[in-house]
Amino acid sequence: MRDFLNMEKRLSKLSGKFLFKKNKNLNNQEGSAIIIALLVMVLLLGFVAFAVSRTSNETITASNDVEETKTFEAGQASLEIMTHNFNKIFDYKLSPSDADLHGTNGVEKKFPTDFTGEYDFEQKIDQTRDAEEVVMTGQQFQGLRALRDEWQIDTTATDKNSGVQVALRRRFFNNLIPIFQFGIFYEDDLEFHPGPKFAFGGRVHSNRHIYMKSGNLLKFTSKVTAAGQILTDVMRNGDSSGTYTDKIKIQNAAGTFVSLNNDMGSALRDTVNGSPVINQADMPVAYRNANWKANEVLFQGNLLAEQAELELPLRKASKLAGNPLDYIEIIKRGKAVGDLLNASNPVTTGTADSVITAQERYYNKTGIRISLADSKAKLPGCASGIGTGATANDCGIRLDGDSSGDGSEPGSGARGYKPRKMGTEYQATTLNGERFYRGSGTETWIKIETVEWNESTNTVKTVDITQDILALGMTEAASAIYDGGYKFAIYDGTTDYYLKNIDQRSIFKLQRFIFGDGVVDSSSAFITDKSWNGKNYNFVVASASVGSVDDGTFGDFSGDNTAHMKAAYIDGFTDAKIVPFPIKMFDAREGIYNDNMNTSSFGSNKVPAAGVLSMVDIDVANLRKFLNGDFDSEMPADTPFFTANARKFKATDIPESNGWVLYISDRRGDKDFDGEYDMEDIYGSTATFGNDGIKQYGEDVNDDGFLQMDYGSGGEAVKYSVGVFKGIAATLEHRYYRRGIRLINGQTLPGIYDTATPANTRGFTAASENGVYTLGNYNATGISSVGEPTTSEEYLPQDQPTHIPASIAADAVTILSNKWTDAGSFKNAFNLNGRVPNETTVRFAMISGDTRSSLIETGEPDQGGTDMQLAGGVHNFKRFLEKWDGIRVNYAGSLINLYNSRNSNAAFKCCVKVYGAPNRNWVFDETFLNPTRLPPGTPYFQTIQLTGFQRVN
């Protein structure tokens, strides 16, 4: 360009000289024309040269721009693939491992395939900020507290041919929202029934529809959302009777309560508006409310329908794999190579749990795992007969065989495992295997393990500690009864059997010597009732040979072995001997098919076998003592653990992660070994006594299209019509799959609340695929005052070392009062007035199931009582078996309903024979809003927020 400008200047000078000469000599005009033509040609040549030069430079520049643009696109593709793969990890995991990020197949090593031929990539991912507590913004999680960490992705893309490089960076937040941040969360339809006042508090969400009705007052102080519709003029069963005005109140953003009236829901049954928005079998038809948008505005974002579903990693991962799993898997036993998949087939690599399924199961949460089954092969890791622990025989023990527990028959000796001796004095009572033996081909096995989940490798490590834990005992200790003089005491020879505190340390309890509130029963050979000063007591003071009884539901019993008989002083008896017997109770909801049914066919001496549960009692107070190290010095020195480690087992050998998860699975009697009670036939007419064999709405809770009914001798279920003598039911093990887990002496839980260093806080979670019962106060001593409701800050103790973050995850959760007795449950099986409780206080978050509500078609089937074919709604999510009428149940926690119950599957019923509704003094426990106060094993929702994108070169 510069050369061209210089040429132009020279040409201008020549032109000037020529014009000057032209004026002096007009005769030279022809020569001037030639010169001018030459000048024009030179000028044109200059322009052509400039144009060619400029075109060439622009071509080079354009080529460079294209290469850089393509390299930028390659860098963007790299960034997107890294973001996608990172996010995919969180679809099925909450904590990415080092291998997930930096390993051979990690996020850093996976490149965009469309660009790898022409470009090299350098990819890097780092966590730039540790997890911290934040308050979420945005509609779905707004106001909830999350644990948030920050991540950064860097990528440099290099064109292999030109060397052009583009470096890009992206930052984002990873948010984990604990499920217990919700006051109420339902995976299924969420139902509030007309009834007493209810003001629970906390965030409310349903992944389906919300049915709201109230005959009194229903108050919400936080956001209420539904993935489906919010219905106010119809109940889940199709009942649209009643008009409720100013009975449902929801706070708007300004904190003012606004009424949600009968005609204000997002969908209505009785107002037709176009095509139905709900129109499917077993659902009341409903139409979009034309006024919904205007109604919705009144609540200023605190009442929302048609929102996104909220999914836990288990559901996300299984959906991605093309096989969406039911959340019931969270509480079920795991499936790993070494286990049985079903009754006879082993788990293979193809049928084993995926990493995320294994991680999400409470079965694999860090702590203690207890498993019971009908054979050694059905214990975890024992399908081949070889355990996963220290020795080849590390596969639990048999309880109803030889006293050694090795699985052999006892020969001429007594049936029943004899625990290892502790110290020099403490010898726990041998299990009375005669009463646990259920006949040939069905044994009783147990395995107790420590469990530790490794976040880095996503694997679980277990160690068999069965013999160590059972050395503490398996028997509920029977203290001496003194009432103006000894009335009862057990002797071993001439020495008081309990001066040595025998069985006082038992954590895991299967049998007892005595229980209160006398059972009325003509089969006196099985039970003896004594009364002192108005209090009733039950003993087994004689044995009997009865053979197979009651439709094969109970085992063959030919009498107690003398080795199990203990000399006892019982006022009113001479030379009495008593034996321990299984812990049993009667659950009226499970046993009575209809709350109004005529029970005359059972007489005064029998109960429905369907409601007789064999219980595993967990003594929480003794577990706390053990975890505090109280028994370390006296643990036995002749167990597999001692042999493998050359030392005694101690409390610190129990792994923990912000506390302990205690998982229990009792599959005795589960013939097909799937963790489900195969009796879905819960609705029927009086003529069929509840079992009509017809699949109806609400019965097929596992959605397999069939009605499970495994009746008869050797089956795992029993019909409602089968009766059994109370004395037999209360003292003898049964064959069928009716099991329950009960938490006793749980007023103070294992763990600690550290006010100075929150990270040192340790909580306690009990989990089971069986139904769980709490007996008496649990994780609380009471409340400081009564409110409407009492606030969670008024539950005692509060912000003290014994205020433990606690949760229960189970098939179902039933609250038994401080006044409950098992004997009373048999004595007053049909008499609700005989089961009167006293005030009881419990504090825990719960993940549980309910039965399924269904649409009424003809008025039958009917479970009796109130609310035909309804599951009881939130008011009855926690279950009851006593006449609470006017008596308070104080509850602080979080109510999470993720599945339909598979074991405690009898229909909801009230209020003649099963239970009377309590005064529900219930409240959301706001301590769960503090992420440092969460129970161990808490499930989390996960969401990613992109925060920044930039080019860095």
Side-chain angles (χ1 to χ4, degrees):
M1 184 66 178
R2 188 181 296 112
D3 292 339
F4 173 74
L5 291 174
N6 289 337
M7 181 184 295
E8 187 178 30
K9 289 178 181 178
R10 289 196 295 274
L11 290 172
S12 296
K13 289 180 180 179
L14 288 172
S15 176
K17 288 179 180 180
F18 166 74
L19 291 172
F20 174 75
K21 288 180 180 180
K22 178 182 178 184
N23 291 331
K24 288 180 65 175
N25 189 359
L26 298 174
N27 295 325
N28 295 330
Q29 291 181 3
E30 294 180 0
S32 297
I34 293 171
I35 292 172
I36 290 171
L38 290 172
L39 288 173
V40 171
M41 290 179 66
V42 171
L43 189 62
L44 290 172
L45 287 172
F47 275 115
V48 170
F50 167 71
V52 171
S53 174
R54 181 170 181 176
T55 300
S56 178
N57 288 336
E58 287 181 349
T59 299
I60 293 172
T61 301
S63 178
N64 288 341
D65 285 346
V66 170
E67 289 167 357
E68 185 159 339
T69 299
K70 290 181 67 178
T71 307
F72 187 89
E73 291 174 354
Q76 276 191 313
S78 169
L79 206 64
E80 293 303 325
I81 202 73
M82 290 179 72
T83 304
H84 171 77
N85 288 331
F86 181 83
N87 195 37
K88 189 175 179 181
I89 292 172
F90 284 97
D91 279 341
Y92 60 90
K93 292 172 67 174
L94 294 174
S95 300
S97 67
D98 187 78
D100 291 328
L101 302 176
H102 313 298
T104 304
N105 294 313
V107 172
E108 292 181 344
K109 306 302 181 184
K110 294 180 179 179
F111 309 115
T113 56
D114 291 343
F115 293 88
T116 52
E118 301 177 51
Y119 299 90
D120 289 323
F121 296 95
E122 181 181 350
Q123 300 182 153
K124 188 178 181 182
I125 182 168
D126 294 294
Q127 184 176 340
T128 56
R129 189 186 302 175
D130 291 334
E132 60 184 5
E133 180 186 348
V134 299
V135 178
M136 294 290 289
T137 57
Q139 192 173 69
Q140 194 75 348
F141 293 112
Q142 183 178 3
L144 296 178
R145 290 173 172 84
L147 294 175
R148 170 182 290 172
D149 49 26
E150 186 181 54
W151 295 79
Q152 178 175 297
I153 293 176
D154 287 286
T155 183
T156 300
T158 304
D159 189 317
K160 293 180 179 180
N161 295 320
S162 67
V164 173
Q165 284 190 335
V166 172
L168 302 177
R169 173 175 294 163
R170 172 174 284 167
R171 292 189 180 93
F172 54 86
F173 294 135
N174 175 50
N175 302 295
L176 299 179
I177 300 99
I179 197 169
F180 296 142
Q181 292 266 308
F182 287 85
I184 302 170
F185 182 96
Y186 268 51
E187 174 65 17
D188 203 348
D189 297 313
L190 196 167
E191 303 166 49
F192 295 96
H193 293 179
K197 291 182 180 181
F198 194 82
F200 187 71
R203 183 68 61 87
V204 177
H205 178 80
S206 168
N207 270 345
R208 280 182 49 104
H209 309 298
I210 299 179
Y211 291 85
M212 291 188 186
K213 280 201 170 188
S214 178
N216 204 313
L217 183 62
L218 178 62
K219 292 177 66 176
F220 298 91
T221 56
S222 296
K223 187 187 294 289
V224 179
T225 58
Q229 302 299 326
I230 296 171
L231 298 102
T232 52
D233 70 339
V234 65
M235 297 175 70
R236 174 61 180 81
N237 62 0
D239 181 4
S240 60
S241 61
T243 299
Y244 303 102
T245 302
D246 294 329
K247 298 296 185 180
I248 303 174
K249 304 281 188 178
I250 301 173
Q251 270 187 343
N252 63 19
T256 302
F257 282 103
V258 179
S259 290
L260 179 69
N261 293 331
N262 197 69
D263 60 350
M264 292 177 64
S266 68
L268 301 172
R269 169 178 173 164
D270 296 329
T271 304
V272 177
N273 178 33
S275 299
V277 291
I278 302 177
N279 187 20
Q280 62 193 73
D282 190 25
M283 296 287 291
V285 173
Y287 302 85
R288 189 177 304 279
N289 186 353
N291 298 320
W292 170 242
K293 290 300 180 183
N295 296 338
E296 186 181 43
V297 170
L298 299 174
F299 302 96
Q300 300 176 340
N302 278 353
L303 180 65
L304 301 170
E306 298 181 341
Q307 300 298 293
E309 288 188 33
L310 303 180
E311 294 182 323
L312 294 170
L314 177 73
R315 178 62 56 81
K316 281 189 175 183
S318 58
K319 283 175 69 174
L320 287 172
N323 181 32
L325 293 176
D326 192 298
Y327 281 127
I328 192 76
E329 297 298 327
I330 286 178
I331 61 166
K332 278 196 174 185
R333 280 199 195 185
K335 299 173 183 176
V337 175
D339 300 335
L340 281 181
L341 179 66
N342 47 42
S344 57
N345 298 313
V347 174
T348 65
T349 54
T351 57
D353 286 337
S354 67
V355 170
I356 180 54
T357 303
Q359 184 185 37
E360 289 290 282
R361 291 191 192 276
Y362 276 97
Y363 173 87
N364 289 322
K365 301 292 185 182
T366 298
I368 304 172
R369 177 198 296 166
I370 302 173
S371 306
L372 290 104
D374 291 333
S375 68
K376 182 177 183 178
K378 290 180 179 179
L379 295 176
C382 301
S384 63
I386 304 297
T388 57
T391 71
N393 294 318
D394 230 4
C395 270
I397 59 170
R398 183 181 174 189
L399 293 173
D400 62 342
D402 186 79
S403 62
S404 66
D406 64 1
S408 62
E409 291 293 320
S412 60
R415 287 187 178 276
Y417 173 69
K418 182 178 182 179
R420 296 290 184 259
K421 190 174 184 179
M422 295 182 69
T424 58
E425 295 288 329
Y426 189 91
Q427 173 63 64
T429 300
T430 298
L431 190 83
N432 186 359
E434 317 295 343
R435 288 181 176 265
F436 284 84
Y437 183 63
R438 289 161 289 157
S440 177
T442 303
E443 301 172 347
T444 300
W445 284 79
I446 183 173
K447 185 176 184 180
I448 304 176
E449 308 164 273
T450 63
V451 180
E452 186 172 13
W453 181 265
N454 188 314
E455 293 286 353
S456 298
T457 62
N458 292 312
T459 57
V460 65
K461 176 185 177 182
T462 63
V463 176
D464 191 321
I465 56 168
T466 311
Q467 296 183 36
D468 306 272
I469 294 297
L470 293 189
L472 297 164
M474 297 175 288
T475 307
E476 174 67 38
S479 300
I481 299 172
Y482 185 86
D483 186 5
Y486 273 104
K487 302 296 183 183
F488 168 80
I490 299 178
Y491 288 85
D492 186 2
T494 59
T495 305
D496 189 333
Y497 189 63
Y498 286 99
L499 285 178
K500 298 178 181 179
N501 296 318
I502 302 303
D503 298 323
Q504 296 289 341
R505 302 171 181 174
S506 302
I507 296 173
F508 175 87
K509 300 180 179 182
L510 285 171
Q511 64 179 10
R512 53 160 61 109
F513 281 104
I514 183 175
F515 61 165
D517 201 357
V519 173
V520 178
D521 186 6
S522 63
S523 57
S524 59
F526 281 91
I527 198 79
T528 297
D529 173 33
K530 286 295 296 182
S531 178
W532 297 304
N533 290 338
K535 294 182 180 180
N536 296 314
Y537 301 92
N538 293 271
F539 317 88
V540 176
V541 296
S543 60
S545 177
V546 297
S548 180
V549 297
D550 295 294
D551 196 27
T553 57
F554 281 74
D556 295 326
F557 177 67
S558 58
D560 296 292
N561 191 289
T562 56
H564 294 301
M565 296 182 183
K566 305 296 181 184
Y569 171 78
I570 303 176
D571 188 24
F573 287 84
T574 302
D575 297 327
K577 294 184 182 295
I578 65 173
V579 294
F581 50 89
I583 298 175
K584 310 292 285 291
M585 65 167 275
F586 182 74
D587 184 320
R589 170 169 170 160
E590 297 300 314
I592 299 173
Y593 83 92
N594 186 296
D595 198 55
N596 300 314
M597 76 178 215
N598 185 339
T599 58
S600 60
S601 61
F602 295 100
S604 62
N605 292 323
K606 288 187 176 184
V607 293
V612 178
L613 301 184
S614 178
M615 306 302 293
V616 174
D617 279 359
I618 305 296
D619 193 313
V620 179
N622 280 345
L623 177 59
R624 177 180 171 86
K625 290 178 183 178
F626 171 77
L627 291 172
N628 286 341
D630 290 7
F631 308 134
D632 281 359
S633 63
E634 294 190 72
M635 295 302 290
D638 56 351
T639 67
F641 181 91
F642 184 91
T643 301
N645 297 278
R647 64 173 177 82
K648 295 179 179 180
F649 183 73
K650 58 183 183 296
T652 53
D653 290 315
I654 304 289
E656 58 90 15
S657 179
N658 298 116
W660 303 267
V661 172
L662 177 68
Y663 178 85
I664 314 103
S665 165
D666 187 351
R667 288 193 177 181
R668 289 176 293 165
D670 184 12
K671 303 302 181 182
D672 56 2
F673 200 63
D674 63 353
E676 300 183 2
Y677 178 57
D678 287 349
M679 208 293 283
E680 292 181 331
D681 189 18
I682 62 173
Y683 289 132
S685 65
T686 302
T688 62
F689 222 83
N691 301 124
D692 59 9
I694 302 171
K695 183 165 71 74
Q696 299 168 87
Y697 290 155
E699 291 186 325
D700 182 19
V701 291
N702 64 6
D703 292 318
D704 66 352
F706 300 96
L707 191 66
Q708 271 70 42
M709 297 179 295
D710 186 15
Y711 304 135
S713 179
E716 71 174 60
V718 59
K719 290 184 177 182
Y720 287 122
S721 58
V722 175
V724 61
F725 282 110
K726 295 177 180 179
I728 295 173
T731 64
L732 194 64
E733 190 52 82
H734 54 254
R735 295 175 181 268
Y736 53 96
Y737 185 37
R738 271 309 207 190
R739 310 291 164 187
I741 309 301
R742 186 162 54 186
L743 304 172
I744 67 173
N745 300 326
Q747 185 165 281
T748 303
L749 305 185
I752 186 171
Y753 172 43
D754 192 325
T755 55
T757 309
N760 290 337
T761 294
R762 298 290 181 265
F764 178 69
T765 292
S768 178
E769 63 181 358
N770 307 106
V772 168
Y773 300 72
T774 62
L775 178 57
N777 290 351
Y778 190 82
N779 195 31
T781 59
I783 55 176
S784 60
S785 65
V786 178
E788 291 190 352
T790 297
T791 65
S792 59
E793 290 82 2
E794 295 176 283
Y795 279 68
L796 303 174
Q798 186 67 216
D799 295 335
Q800 301 296 316
T802 52
H803 178 185
I804 307 300
S807 66
I808 296 174
D811 184 71
V813 175
T814 303
I815 308 298
L816 304 176
S817 78
N818 293 295
K819 200 175 175 182
W820 172 272
T821 69
D822 292 343
S825 72
F826 289 105
K827 178 181 179 180
N828 299 296
F830 309 128
N831 176 23
L832 187 55
N833 290 323
R835 306 194 307 272
V836 178
N838 56 8
E839 181 173 339
T840 301
T841 304
V842 294
R843 176 170 51 183
F844 57 87
M846 61 178 280
I847 295 176
S848 184
D850 61 357
T851 50
R852 183 172 292 178
S853 294
S854 57
L855 187 65
I856 298 173
E857 290 189 300
T858 62
E860 278 203 3
D862 176 12
Q863 76 274 28
T866 60
D867 297 329
M868 185 186 300
Q869 288 182 243
L870 289 177
V874 177
H875 293 67
N876 296 289
F877 184 41
K878 293 184 294 297
R879 305 183 183 188
F880 305 99
L881 295 173
E882 297 167 87
K883 188 178 182 180
W884 289 92
D885 304 6
I887 300 171
R888 278 195 307 274
V889 172
N890 306 311
Y891 170 80
S894 170
L895 302 174
I896 312 298
N897 184 345
L898 294 182
Y899 38 80
N900 293 124
S901 302
R902 304 294 206 271
N903 279 298
S904 303
N905 66 338
F908 162 76
K909 52 188 77 78
C910 175
C911 301
V912 179
K913 293 182 174 65
V914 174
Y915 85 103
N919 182 343
R920 298 176 176 92
N921 186 27
W922 299 358
V923 67
F924 171 59
D925 190 343
E926 294 193 359
T927 61
F928 292 140
L929 296 177
N930 181 350
T932 65
R933 296 302 311 276
L934 294 172
T938 296
Y940 290 83
F941 299 105
Q942 183 270 344
T943 181
I944 283 179
Q945 290 177 275
L946 301 180
T947 62
F949 168 81
Q950 65 181 124
R951 179 170 177 175
V952 294
N953 73 331

